[in-house]
Amino acid sequence: MESVKRGDQKTRVRYGMLFLVFINVVINYLDRSNISVAAATFSKDLELSSVQLGLIFSAFGWTYAFLQIPGGLIADRFGPRILYAFCLITWSLATLFQGFARGFASLFALRLATGAFEAPSYPINNRIVTSWFPDHERASAIAMYVSGQFIGLAFLTPVLTMIQVYAGWKGLFIATGLVGIVWGAVWYFFYRDPLDHPRVNEAELTYIEEGGAVIRRANKNGGKASVWQWSNFQQVFSSRTLWGVYIGQFAVNSMLWFFLTWFPTYLVKYRGLDFIKSGYLASVPFLAACAGLLLSGFLSDRSVQRGVSIGVARKTPIIIGLLLSMSIVGANYTNDTAMIIFFMALAFFGSGMALISWVFVSILSPKHLVGLTGGIFNFMGNLASIVVPIVIGHLVQGGDFKPALVFIGALGLIGACSYIFLVGKIERVPMRDGEKEGALISA
Protein backbone atom coordinates (compact mmCIF):
# COMPACT_ATOMS: atom_id res chain seq x y z
CA MET A 1 0.00 0.00 0.00
CA GLU A 2 3.03 2.29 0.12
CA SER A 3 2.54 3.21 -3.52
CA VAL A 4 -1.06 4.31 -2.93
CA LYS A 5 -1.56 8.06 -2.75
CA ARG A 6 -3.48 9.62 0.09
CA GLY A 7 -6.14 12.27 -0.37
CA ASP A 8 -9.72 13.17 0.32
CA GLN A 9 -10.73 13.70 -3.31
CA LYS A 10 -10.85 10.31 -4.98
CA THR A 11 -8.86 9.80 -8.15
CA ARG A 12 -10.34 8.41 -11.39
CA VAL A 13 -7.63 5.96 -12.32
CA ARG A 14 -10.23 3.26 -12.98
CA TYR A 15 -11.34 5.04 -16.16
CA GLY A 16 -7.81 5.00 -17.50
CA MET A 17 -7.67 1.25 -16.91
CA LEU A 18 -11.03 0.88 -18.67
CA PHE A 19 -9.65 2.76 -21.67
CA LEU A 20 -6.74 0.32 -21.86
CA VAL A 21 -9.20 -2.60 -21.84
CA PHE A 22 -11.26 -0.87 -24.54
CA ILE A 23 -8.17 -0.73 -26.81
CA ASN A 24 -7.46 -4.40 -26.04
CA VAL A 25 -10.97 -5.29 -27.26
CA VAL A 26 -10.52 -3.22 -30.43
CA ILE A 27 -7.29 -5.09 -31.25
CA ASN A 28 -8.89 -8.37 -30.23
CA TYR A 29 -11.63 -7.96 -32.80
CA LEU A 30 -9.34 -6.57 -35.48
CA ASP A 31 -7.40 -9.83 -35.33
CA ARG A 32 -10.63 -11.82 -35.46
CA SER A 33 -12.07 -9.93 -38.43
CA ASN A 34 -9.02 -9.12 -40.59
CA ILE A 35 -9.44 -12.57 -42.12
CA SER A 36 -12.78 -11.48 -43.58
CA VAL A 37 -11.28 -8.38 -45.22
CA ALA A 38 -8.44 -10.40 -46.70
CA ALA A 39 -10.55 -13.39 -47.74
CA ALA A 40 -11.62 -12.23 -51.21
CA THR A 41 -7.96 -11.91 -52.22
CA PHE A 42 -6.15 -14.73 -50.44
CA SER A 43 -8.84 -17.25 -51.38
CA LYS A 44 -7.90 -16.63 -55.02
CA ASP A 45 -4.15 -16.60 -54.44
CA LEU A 46 -4.26 -19.81 -52.41
CA GLU A 47 -6.95 -21.37 -54.65
CA LEU A 48 -9.36 -22.11 -51.83
CA SER A 49 -12.91 -23.40 -52.34
CA SER A 50 -15.85 -21.92 -50.46
CA VAL A 51 -15.84 -24.96 -48.18
CA GLN A 52 -12.15 -24.49 -47.37
CA LEU A 53 -12.74 -20.79 -46.80
CA GLY A 54 -15.55 -21.60 -44.38
CA LEU A 55 -13.22 -23.95 -42.48
CA ILE A 56 -10.56 -21.23 -42.22
CA PHE A 57 -13.19 -18.75 -40.99
CA SER A 58 -14.21 -21.28 -38.33
CA ALA A 59 -10.69 -22.23 -37.19
CA PHE A 60 -10.45 -19.39 -34.68
CA GLY A 61 -13.64 -20.59 -33.02
CA TRP A 62 -12.49 -24.17 -32.48
CA THR A 63 -9.79 -23.26 -30.01
CA TYR A 64 -11.43 -20.09 -28.69
CA ALA A 65 -14.69 -21.83 -27.75
CA PHE A 66 -13.23 -25.01 -26.28
CA LEU A 67 -10.69 -23.08 -24.20
CA GLN A 68 -13.23 -20.73 -22.62
CA ILE A 69 -13.48 -22.50 -19.26
CA PRO A 70 -9.71 -23.19 -19.00
CA GLY A 71 -9.13 -19.60 -20.10
CA GLY A 72 -11.32 -18.39 -17.27
CA LEU A 73 -9.40 -20.48 -14.75
CA ILE A 74 -6.07 -19.15 -16.06
CA ALA A 75 -7.36 -15.57 -15.86
CA ASP A 76 -8.37 -16.13 -12.26
CA ARG A 77 -4.97 -17.51 -11.27
CA PHE A 78 -2.60 -15.06 -12.96
CA GLY A 79 -2.45 -11.28 -12.83
CA PRO A 80 -3.97 -9.31 -15.74
CA ARG A 81 -0.82 -7.28 -16.33
CA ILE A 82 1.44 -10.19 -17.27
CA LEU A 83 -1.20 -12.55 -18.67
CA TYR A 84 -2.83 -9.98 -20.97
CA ALA A 85 0.56 -8.83 -22.27
CA PHE A 86 1.45 -12.46 -23.00
CA CYS A 87 -1.87 -13.08 -24.78
CA LEU A 88 -1.68 -9.86 -26.82
CA ILE A 89 1.83 -10.58 -28.04
CA THR A 90 1.29 -14.27 -28.79
CA TRP A 91 -2.01 -13.89 -30.65
CA SER A 92 -0.51 -10.96 -32.55
CA LEU A 93 2.50 -13.07 -33.55
CA ALA A 94 0.09 -15.72 -34.83
CA THR A 95 -1.69 -12.98 -36.78
CA LEU A 96 1.57 -11.64 -38.24
CA PHE A 97 2.65 -15.11 -39.42
CA GLN A 98 -0.65 -15.47 -41.29
CA GLY A 99 0.92 -13.06 -43.76
CA PHE A 100 3.41 -15.82 -44.63
CA ALA A 101 0.86 -18.63 -45.03
CA ARG A 102 1.31 -20.66 -48.21
CA GLY A 103 -1.83 -22.74 -48.24
CA PHE A 104 -4.91 -23.99 -46.46
CA ALA A 105 -3.09 -26.02 -43.78
CA SER A 106 -0.75 -23.29 -42.57
CA LEU A 107 -3.46 -20.61 -42.52
CA PHE A 108 -5.87 -22.93 -40.72
CA ALA A 109 -3.24 -23.77 -38.08
CA LEU A 110 -2.40 -20.12 -37.48
CA ARG A 111 -6.06 -19.24 -37.03
CA LEU A 112 -6.31 -22.04 -34.47
CA ALA A 113 -3.35 -20.48 -32.64
CA THR A 114 -4.97 -17.04 -32.71
CA GLY A 115 -8.13 -18.41 -31.10
CA ALA A 116 -6.16 -20.29 -28.44
CA PHE A 117 -4.17 -17.26 -27.33
CA GLU A 118 -7.26 -15.00 -27.34
CA ALA A 119 -9.30 -17.42 -25.20
CA PRO A 120 -8.45 -15.86 -21.80
CA SER A 121 -9.08 -12.29 -23.01
CA TYR A 122 -12.71 -11.82 -21.97
CA PRO A 123 -12.29 -13.56 -18.61
CA ILE A 124 -9.37 -11.16 -18.01
CA ASN A 125 -11.59 -8.22 -19.00
CA ASN A 126 -14.16 -9.37 -16.48
CA ARG A 127 -11.58 -9.73 -13.73
CA ILE A 128 -10.24 -6.22 -14.39
CA VAL A 129 -13.67 -4.59 -14.31
CA THR A 130 -14.58 -6.59 -11.20
CA SER A 131 -11.40 -5.32 -9.53
CA TRP A 132 -11.61 -1.67 -10.59
CA PHE A 133 -15.34 -0.84 -10.58
CA PRO A 134 -18.03 -0.87 -7.88
CA ASP A 135 -21.23 -2.78 -8.56
CA HIS A 136 -23.28 0.26 -9.55
CA GLU A 137 -20.74 1.27 -12.23
CA ARG A 138 -19.87 -2.19 -13.49
CA ALA A 139 -22.64 -2.64 -16.08
CA SER A 140 -21.72 0.65 -17.74
CA ALA A 141 -18.04 -0.29 -17.65
CA ILE A 142 -18.73 -3.62 -19.33
CA ALA A 143 -20.94 -1.97 -21.96
CA MET A 144 -18.14 0.48 -22.70
CA TYR A 145 -15.44 -2.09 -23.32
CA VAL A 146 -17.79 -4.43 -25.22
CA SER A 147 -18.66 -1.52 -27.51
CA GLY A 148 -15.00 -1.53 -28.55
CA GLN A 149 -15.65 -4.52 -30.79
CA PHE A 150 -18.16 -2.54 -32.83
CA ILE A 151 -16.66 0.94 -32.67
CA GLY A 152 -13.23 -0.36 -33.59
CA LEU A 153 -14.50 -2.42 -36.51
CA ALA A 154 -16.79 0.34 -37.76
CA PHE A 155 -14.02 2.91 -38.02
CA LEU A 156 -11.08 0.63 -38.78
CA THR A 157 -12.61 -1.70 -41.38
CA PRO A 158 -12.10 0.98 -44.07
CA VAL A 159 -8.51 1.34 -42.83
CA LEU A 160 -7.95 -2.41 -43.11
CA THR A 161 -9.37 -2.28 -46.63
CA MET A 162 -6.96 0.45 -47.65
CA ILE A 163 -4.00 -1.40 -46.12
CA GLN A 164 -4.89 -4.41 -48.22
CA VAL A 165 -5.25 -2.29 -51.36
CA TYR A 166 -1.73 -0.89 -50.94
CA ALA A 167 0.07 -3.74 -49.15
CA GLY A 168 -1.91 -6.82 -50.15
CA TRP A 169 -3.45 -9.42 -47.87
CA LYS A 170 -0.04 -10.44 -46.57
CA GLY A 171 0.73 -6.87 -45.58
CA LEU A 172 -2.65 -6.63 -43.87
CA PHE A 173 -1.87 -9.54 -41.55
CA ILE A 174 1.64 -8.30 -40.87
CA ALA A 175 0.45 -4.76 -40.08
CA THR A 176 -2.32 -5.85 -37.69
CA GLY A 177 0.04 -8.29 -36.01
CA LEU A 178 2.64 -5.59 -35.41
CA VAL A 179 0.03 -3.28 -33.88
CA GLY A 180 -0.89 -5.94 -31.32
CA ILE A 181 2.73 -6.69 -30.44
CA VAL A 182 3.46 -3.01 -29.79
CA TRP A 183 0.26 -2.60 -27.78
CA GLY A 184 1.14 -5.65 -25.67
CA ALA A 185 4.25 -3.79 -24.50
CA VAL A 186 2.21 -0.62 -23.88
CA TRP A 187 -0.29 -2.59 -21.81
CA TYR A 188 2.45 -4.11 -19.65
CA PHE A 189 3.99 -0.69 -19.07
CA PHE A 190 0.78 1.13 -18.07
CA TYR A 191 -1.61 -1.40 -16.49
CA ARG A 192 -1.62 -2.10 -12.75
CA ASP A 193 -4.11 -3.71 -10.37
CA PRO A 194 -5.78 -1.29 -7.91
CA LEU A 195 -3.43 -1.93 -4.99
CA ASP A 196 -0.34 -1.65 -7.20
CA HIS A 197 -1.16 1.48 -9.20
CA PRO A 198 1.04 4.45 -8.21
CA ARG A 199 -1.62 7.06 -9.06
CA VAL A 200 -4.67 5.68 -7.30
CA ASN A 201 -5.43 7.18 -3.89
CA GLU A 202 -6.99 5.75 -0.75
CA ALA A 203 -10.29 7.53 -1.44
CA GLU A 204 -10.75 5.80 -4.78
CA LEU A 205 -9.73 2.43 -3.33
CA THR A 206 -12.26 2.81 -0.54
CA TYR A 207 -14.96 3.92 -2.98
CA ILE A 208 -14.57 0.97 -5.33
CA GLU A 209 -14.08 -1.62 -2.58
CA GLU A 210 -17.04 -0.48 -0.50
CA GLY A 211 -19.06 -0.56 -3.72
CA GLY A 212 -18.32 -4.25 -4.19
CA ALA A 213 -15.09 -4.30 -6.22
CA VAL A 214 -12.85 -7.28 -5.49
CA ILE A 215 -9.43 -5.70 -4.94
CA ARG A 216 -8.18 -7.85 -2.08
CA ARG A 217 -8.12 -11.56 -2.77
CA ALA A 218 -7.86 -12.88 0.76
CA ASN A 219 -10.10 -15.80 -0.16
CA LYS A 220 -8.81 -16.31 -3.66
CA ASN A 221 -8.99 -20.08 -3.34
CA GLY A 222 -12.60 -19.95 -2.25
CA GLY A 223 -14.80 -22.14 -4.41
CA LYS A 224 -12.11 -23.19 -6.88
CA ALA A 225 -11.57 -26.65 -5.47
CA SER A 226 -15.20 -27.60 -6.12
CA VAL A 227 -15.62 -26.10 -9.58
CA TRP A 228 -14.59 -29.25 -11.43
CA GLN A 229 -16.88 -31.61 -9.54
CA TRP A 230 -19.24 -33.48 -11.84
CA SER A 231 -22.23 -32.45 -9.72
CA ASN A 232 -21.52 -28.80 -10.52
CA PHE A 233 -21.58 -29.48 -14.26
CA GLN A 234 -24.81 -31.42 -13.82
CA GLN A 235 -26.32 -28.45 -12.01
CA VAL A 236 -25.57 -25.88 -14.72
CA PHE A 237 -26.51 -28.25 -17.55
CA SER A 238 -29.78 -29.47 -16.02
CA SER A 239 -31.51 -26.09 -15.73
CA ARG A 240 -34.07 -25.42 -18.46
CA THR A 241 -33.71 -21.68 -17.90
CA LEU A 242 -29.94 -21.78 -18.37
CA TRP A 243 -30.37 -23.84 -21.54
CA GLY A 244 -32.66 -21.11 -22.79
CA VAL A 245 -29.95 -18.47 -22.45
CA TYR A 246 -27.29 -20.84 -23.83
CA ILE A 247 -29.32 -21.37 -27.03
CA GLY A 248 -30.14 -17.67 -27.19
CA GLN A 249 -26.44 -16.77 -26.95
CA PHE A 250 -25.63 -19.15 -29.80
CA ALA A 251 -28.20 -17.30 -31.91
CA VAL A 252 -26.82 -13.87 -30.94
CA ASN A 253 -23.25 -14.90 -31.76
CA SER A 254 -24.31 -16.44 -35.06
CA MET A 255 -25.13 -13.00 -36.45
CA LEU A 256 -21.88 -11.60 -35.05
CA TRP A 257 -19.78 -14.29 -36.69
CA PHE A 258 -21.48 -13.84 -40.05
CA PHE A 259 -20.33 -10.23 -39.99
CA LEU A 260 -16.87 -11.13 -38.71
CA THR A 261 -16.29 -13.69 -41.47
CA TRP A 262 -18.47 -13.87 -44.59
CA PHE A 263 -19.93 -10.35 -44.80
CA PRO A 264 -17.17 -8.61 -46.85
CA THR A 265 -16.99 -11.63 -49.16
CA TYR A 266 -20.76 -11.47 -49.58
CA LEU A 267 -20.57 -7.81 -50.64
CA VAL A 268 -17.65 -8.24 -53.05
CA LYS A 269 -18.13 -11.71 -54.52
CA TYR A 270 -21.88 -12.23 -54.34
CA ARG A 271 -23.11 -8.64 -54.70
CA GLY A 272 -20.40 -7.34 -57.02
CA LEU A 273 -19.43 -4.30 -54.97
CA ASP A 274 -16.12 -2.54 -55.47
CA PHE A 275 -13.65 -3.73 -52.82
CA ILE A 276 -12.82 -0.26 -51.46
CA LYS A 277 -16.49 0.77 -51.44
CA SER A 278 -17.40 -2.43 -49.62
CA GLY A 279 -14.90 -1.55 -46.88
CA TYR A 280 -16.75 1.67 -46.13
CA LEU A 281 -20.21 0.14 -46.41
CA ALA A 282 -19.21 -2.75 -44.15
CA SER A 283 -18.70 -0.30 -41.30
CA VAL A 284 -22.37 0.75 -41.24
CA PRO A 285 -23.75 -2.45 -39.64
CA PHE A 286 -21.08 -2.32 -36.93
CA LEU A 287 -22.16 1.20 -35.98
CA ALA A 288 -25.76 -0.01 -35.94
CA ALA A 289 -24.85 -2.93 -33.65
CA CYS A 290 -23.07 -0.56 -31.26
CA ALA A 291 -26.16 1.68 -31.17
CA GLY A 292 -28.35 -1.35 -30.48
CA LEU A 293 -26.12 -2.49 -27.62
CA LEU A 294 -26.03 0.91 -25.90
CA LEU A 295 -29.75 1.55 -26.42
CA SER A 296 -30.73 -1.87 -25.09
CA GLY A 297 -28.58 -1.52 -21.98
CA PHE A 298 -29.98 1.95 -21.25
CA LEU A 299 -33.63 0.92 -21.76
CA SER A 300 -33.20 -2.24 -19.70
CA ASP A 301 -31.63 -0.39 -16.76
CA ARG A 302 -34.24 2.37 -16.94
CA SER A 303 -37.02 -0.23 -16.88
CA VAL A 304 -35.59 -1.79 -13.71
CA GLN A 305 -35.31 1.64 -12.08
CA ARG A 306 -38.98 2.29 -12.87
CA GLY A 307 -40.08 -0.89 -11.12
CA VAL A 308 -40.48 -3.20 -14.12
CA SER A 309 -39.72 -6.81 -13.18
CA ILE A 310 -36.22 -8.10 -13.88
CA GLY A 311 -37.58 -10.74 -16.24
CA VAL A 312 -39.47 -8.26 -18.42
CA ALA A 313 -36.75 -5.59 -18.29
CA ARG A 314 -33.94 -7.94 -19.28
CA LYS A 315 -35.71 -10.34 -21.65
CA THR A 316 -37.77 -7.88 -23.70
CA PRO A 317 -34.86 -6.06 -25.44
CA ILE A 318 -33.21 -9.39 -26.19
CA ILE A 319 -36.33 -10.91 -27.72
CA ILE A 320 -37.04 -7.77 -29.77
CA GLY A 321 -33.42 -7.70 -30.90
CA LEU A 322 -33.40 -11.34 -31.99
CA LEU A 323 -36.65 -10.87 -33.91
CA LEU A 324 -35.18 -7.79 -35.60
CA SER A 325 -32.13 -9.82 -36.61
CA MET A 326 -34.39 -11.87 -38.88
CA SER A 327 -34.61 -8.83 -41.16
CA ILE A 328 -31.32 -9.95 -42.72
CA VAL A 329 -33.43 -12.15 -45.01
CA GLY A 330 -34.78 -8.96 -46.60
CA ALA A 331 -31.47 -8.53 -48.44
CA ASN A 332 -32.45 -11.54 -50.57
CA TYR A 333 -35.26 -9.54 -52.15
CA THR A 334 -33.43 -6.47 -53.39
CA ASN A 335 -30.54 -5.61 -55.68
CA ASP A 336 -30.27 -2.04 -54.47
CA THR A 337 -27.02 -1.54 -52.56
CA ALA A 338 -28.54 0.94 -50.12
CA MET A 339 -31.37 -1.46 -49.25
CA ILE A 340 -28.95 -4.36 -48.82
CA ILE A 341 -26.92 -2.34 -46.32
CA PHE A 342 -30.14 -1.20 -44.64
CA PHE A 343 -31.30 -4.78 -44.01
CA MET A 344 -27.82 -5.78 -42.84
CA ALA A 345 -27.62 -2.80 -40.48
CA LEU A 346 -31.13 -3.41 -39.10
CA ALA A 347 -30.33 -7.06 -38.45
CA PHE A 348 -27.04 -6.25 -36.71
CA PHE A 349 -28.76 -3.50 -34.72
CA GLY A 350 -31.10 -6.17 -33.39
CA SER A 351 -28.21 -8.50 -32.65
CA GLY A 352 -26.52 -5.68 -30.75
CA MET A 353 -29.66 -5.21 -28.65
CA ALA A 354 -29.53 -8.88 -27.71
CA LEU A 355 -25.92 -8.64 -26.53
CA ILE A 356 -27.01 -7.56 -23.04
CA SER A 357 -27.69 -11.29 -22.59
CA TRP A 358 -24.52 -11.52 -20.46
CA VAL A 359 -26.56 -10.12 -17.52
CA PHE A 360 -28.26 -13.50 -17.12
CA VAL A 361 -25.00 -15.16 -16.06
CA SER A 362 -24.95 -13.16 -12.82
CA ILE A 363 -28.75 -13.25 -12.38
CA LEU A 364 -29.39 -16.97 -12.94
CA SER A 365 -26.27 -18.93 -12.06
CA PRO A 366 -25.83 -20.63 -8.68
CA LYS A 367 -23.89 -18.26 -6.43
CA HIS A 368 -20.98 -20.66 -6.03
CA LEU A 369 -20.86 -21.39 -9.79
CA VAL A 370 -20.99 -17.94 -11.40
CA GLY A 371 -17.63 -18.53 -13.06
CA LEU A 372 -18.40 -22.02 -14.31
CA THR A 373 -21.78 -20.89 -15.64
CA GLY A 374 -20.11 -17.94 -17.38
CA GLY A 375 -17.54 -20.21 -18.98
CA ILE A 376 -20.22 -22.57 -20.28
CA PHE A 377 -22.31 -19.60 -21.45
CA ASN A 378 -19.31 -18.34 -23.44
CA PHE A 379 -18.57 -21.81 -24.74
CA MET A 380 -22.12 -22.35 -25.99
CA GLY A 381 -22.27 -18.93 -27.59
CA ASN A 382 -18.93 -19.28 -29.31
CA LEU A 383 -19.85 -22.61 -30.85
CA ALA A 384 -21.44 -20.30 -33.41
CA SER A 385 -17.95 -19.22 -34.47
CA ILE A 386 -17.36 -22.82 -35.55
CA VAL A 387 -20.73 -23.83 -36.93
CA VAL A 388 -21.86 -20.71 -38.80
CA PRO A 389 -18.82 -20.16 -41.10
CA ILE A 390 -18.72 -23.85 -42.06
CA VAL A 391 -22.46 -24.13 -42.74
CA ILE A 392 -22.41 -20.95 -44.84
CA GLY A 393 -19.44 -22.31 -46.80
CA HIS A 394 -21.51 -25.36 -47.74
CA LEU A 395 -24.70 -23.40 -48.44
CA VAL A 396 -23.03 -21.04 -50.94
CA GLN A 397 -21.17 -23.70 -52.95
CA GLY A 398 -23.57 -23.23 -55.85
CA GLY A 399 -22.89 -19.50 -56.03
CA ASP A 400 -26.15 -18.43 -54.35
CA PHE A 401 -25.90 -16.67 -50.97
CA LYS A 402 -29.66 -16.53 -50.32
CA PRO A 403 -29.86 -19.81 -48.35
CA ALA A 404 -27.09 -18.56 -46.06
CA LEU A 405 -29.06 -15.44 -45.12
CA VAL A 406 -32.18 -17.54 -44.51
CA PHE A 407 -30.08 -19.75 -42.24
CA ILE A 408 -28.86 -16.75 -40.19
CA GLY A 409 -32.38 -15.32 -39.97
CA ALA A 410 -33.78 -18.67 -38.83
CA LEU A 411 -31.23 -18.81 -36.01
CA GLY A 412 -32.50 -15.40 -34.84
CA LEU A 413 -36.02 -16.83 -34.66
CA ILE A 414 -34.79 -19.87 -32.73
CA GLY A 415 -33.02 -17.58 -30.27
CA ALA A 416 -36.14 -15.47 -29.72
CA CYS A 417 -38.25 -18.61 -29.17
CA SER A 418 -35.67 -19.86 -26.71
CA TYR A 419 -36.08 -16.75 -24.56
CA ILE A 420 -39.87 -16.80 -24.92
CA PHE A 421 -40.50 -20.50 -24.19
CA LEU A 422 -37.45 -21.85 -22.32
CA VAL A 423 -36.31 -18.92 -20.18
CA GLY A 424 -39.15 -18.83 -17.72
CA LYS A 425 -39.25 -17.01 -14.40
CA ILE A 426 -36.01 -15.17 -13.74
CA GLU A 427 -34.63 -16.53 -10.50
CA ARG A 428 -31.24 -17.84 -9.46
CA VAL A 429 -30.60 -21.56 -9.79
CA PRO A 430 -30.39 -22.63 -6.12
CA MET A 431 -27.13 -23.67 -4.48
CA ARG A 432 -26.81 -27.24 -3.28
CA ASP A 433 -25.81 -28.51 0.13
CA GLY A 434 -25.10 -25.04 1.51
CA GLU A 435 -22.09 -24.55 -0.76
CA LYS A 436 -20.27 -21.23 -0.54
CA GLU A 437 -20.07 -18.71 -3.32
CA GLY A 438 -16.94 -19.21 -5.39
CA ALA A 439 -14.67 -16.92 -7.28
CA LEU A 440 -15.79 -15.41 -10.56
CA ILE A 441 -13.67 -16.95 -13.29
CA SER A 442 -15.29 -15.95 -16.54
CA ALA A 443 -17.67 -13.55 -18.21
Side-chain angles (χ1 to χ4, degrees), residues 324-377:
L324 274 178
S325 72
M326 296 171 58
S327 62
I328 195 171
V329 179
N332 284 341
Y333 301 96
T334 181
N335 291 317
D336 181 73
T337 299
M339 290 303 299
I340 292 170
I341 297 301
F342 168 77
F343 284 118
M344 293 288 163
L346 181 61
F348 212 11
F349 174 85
S351 180
M353 288 186 66
L355 272 174
I356 66 164
S357 52
W358 59 266
V359 301
F360 286 106
V361 173
S362 58
I363 294 174
L364 297 173
S365 61
K367 287 186 176 181
H368 66 303
L369 296 176
V370 175
L372 179 61
T373 308
I376 294 171
F377 177 81

Side-chain angles (χ1 to χ4, degrees), residues 80-93:
R81 183 188 180 202
I82 294 176
L83 182 58
Y84 224 143
F86 172 80
C87 290
L88 275 161
I89 292 171
T90 50
W91 92 54
S92 297
L93 281 171

Side-chain angles (χ1 to χ4, degrees), residues 30-359:
L30 281 180
D31 290 337
R32 297 187 195 196
S33 65
N34 55 10
I35 193 84
S36 67
V37 176
T41 304
F42 75 68
S43 60
K44 292 181 181 178
D45 291 350
L46 302 181
E47 299 180 346
L48 302 176
S49 67
S50 65
V51 173
Q52 287 178 311
L53 187 58
L55 287 169
I56 287 174
F57 282 156
S58 77
F60 174 96
W62 286 97
T63 47
Y64 184 81
F66 284 99
L67 290 176
Q68 275 302 295
I69 297 176
L73 288 169
I74 291 171
D76 202 45
R77 289 178 183 271
F78 298 96
R81 183 188 180 202
I82 294 176
L83 182 58
Y84 224 143
F86 172 80
C87 290
L88 275 161
I89 292 171
T90 50
W91 92 54
S92 297
L93 281 171
T95 298
L96 185 150
F97 286 126
Q98 287 168 46
F100 300 94
R102 296 189 175 183
F104 170 81
S106 58
L107 191 53
F108 186 82
L110 287 166
R111 291 300 292 177
L112 287 174
T114 305
F117 290 123
E118 282 198 23
S121 58
Y122 265 70
I124 301 173
N125 293 342
N126 178 76
R127 174 174 167 178
I128 291 168
V129 171
T130 302
S131 298
W132 272 103
F133 286 85
D135 290 338
H136 62 277
E137 292 183 359
R138 200 168 298 155
S140 298
I142 292 173
M144 286 301 297
Y145 80 68
V146 170
S147 70
Q149 68 191 53
F150 299 123
I151 294 173
L153 292 175
F155 290 103
L156 293 179
T157 295
V159 176
L160 296 181
T161 303
M162 294 307 298
I163 290 174
Q164 176 161 315
V165 168
Y166 290 103
W169 64 269
K170 295 177 186 257
L172 174 61
F173 285 123
I174 293 171
T176 50
L178 287 173
V179 168
I181 293 169
V182 172
W183 182 255
V186 172
W187 167 266
Y188 182 81
F189 183 79
F190 284 103
Y191 180 79
R192 297 292 188 279
D193 282 332
L195 292 178
D196 299 324
H197 202 289
R199 300 197 176 202
V200 68
N201 68 5
E202 191 68 42
E204 183 174 16
L205 284 176
T206 301
Y207 171 74
I208 64 177
E209 188 169 28
E210 289 183 351
V214 182
I215 66 173
R216 294 181 175 89
R217 304 175 64 79
N219 64 335
K220 68 179 181 178
N221 291 323
K224 284 184 185 178
S226 65
V227 167
W228 294 99
Q229 291 181 7
W230 176 243
S231 61
N232 290 336
F233 283 88
Q234 283 184 309
Q235 191 171 5
V236 295
F237 275 115
S238 62
S239 166
R240 188 189 77 168
T241 299
L242 286 177
W243 268 106
V245 298
Y246 296 156
I247 294 170
Q249 190 66 7
F250 179 91
V252 172
N253 277 7
S254 295
M255 181 68 68
L256 173 64
W257 280 97
F258 162 71
F259 280 96
L260 289 177
T261 55
W262 279 101
F263 181 49
T265 301
Y266 166 73
L267 294 181
V268 174
K269 184 175 179 180
Y270 295 90
R271 286 299 191 172
L273 269 65
D274 173 77
F275 182 73
I276 296 177
K277 183 179 180 180
S278 71
Y280 287 96
L281 292 176
S283 68
V284 176
F286 287 104
L287 288 173
C290 182
L293 169 64
L294 297 176
L295 176 65
S296 180
F298 172 78
L299 292 177
S300 181
D301 283 344
R302 289 281 291 179
S303 297
V304 172
Q305 292 167 11
R306 291 178 177 179
V308 178
S309 70
I310 289 290
V312 173
R314 300 309 191 195
K315 285 198 294 184
T316 301
I318 295 174
I319 293 170
I320 292 173
L322 285 165
L323 292 174
L324 274 178
S325 72
M326 296 171 58
S327 62
I328 195 171
V329 179
N332 284 341
Y333 301 96
T334 181
N335 291 317
D336 181 73
T337 299
M339 290 303 299
I340 292 170
I341 297 301
F342 168 77
F343 284 118
M344 293 288 163
L346 181 61
F348 212 11
F349 174 85
S351 180
M353 288 186 66
L355 272 174
I356 66 164
S357 52
W358 59 266
V359 301

